[in-house]
Amino acid sequence: RNATPESILTLFANEGRRFSARNVATTAHRVGKFGGGRVHRDRRLESLAAMCRNRMAAFDAQNIANVAWGFAKTEFIDQQLFEAIKVETP
């Protein structure tokens, strides 16, 4: 309940390899709730973006929306991720 971008990204860094597709998308969404600020400079977002790209085929429409929204709100730019989202959305 008292999550911060730091605690969310730390959990992802430590346990993310075990996350389901839904958990990965939720992580992106939860980090996005905190907006840009310093978050967009956190190198762990690169790992999160890579995992989102790798799990894209497993995402349902809600997961894709959560990832797109979360990364847009963090102001973190990963062109490959946004291209993958574009390919997956009709």
Side-chain angles (χ1 to χ4, degrees):
R1 294 200 188 274
N2 294 323
T4 64
E6 176 66 26
S7 67
I8 294 165
L9 289 170
T10 297
L11 177 64
F12 171 75
N14 293 336
E15 303 293 333
R17 67 191 171 283
R18 298 182 351 187
F19 283 12
S20 69
R22 183 178 184 181
N23 295 146
V24 172
T26 299
T27 300
H29 186 268
R30 299 259 338 251
V31 171
K33 285 178 136 180
F34 294 96
R38 294 187 333 234
V39 174
H40 76 279
R41 291 187 296 266
D42 193 307
R43 306 243 345 139
R44 292 172 293 186
L45 284 177
E46 293 175 15
S47 297
L48 180 57
M51 187 170 287
C52 288
R53 289 191 311 269
N54 292 336
R55 299 278 183 94
M56 193 62 61
F59 287 160
D60 63 18
Q62 185 64 56
N63 297 152
I64 293 170
N66 285 345
V67 169
W69 183 87
F71 275 94
K73 293 296 283 184
T74 64
E75 301 174 7
F76 179 83
I77 305 299
D78 185 297
Q79 196 60 40
Q80 291 178 317
L81 175 60
F82 287 108
E83 287 297 320
I85 291 169
K86 188 167 83 173
V87 168
E88 290 296 323
T89 54

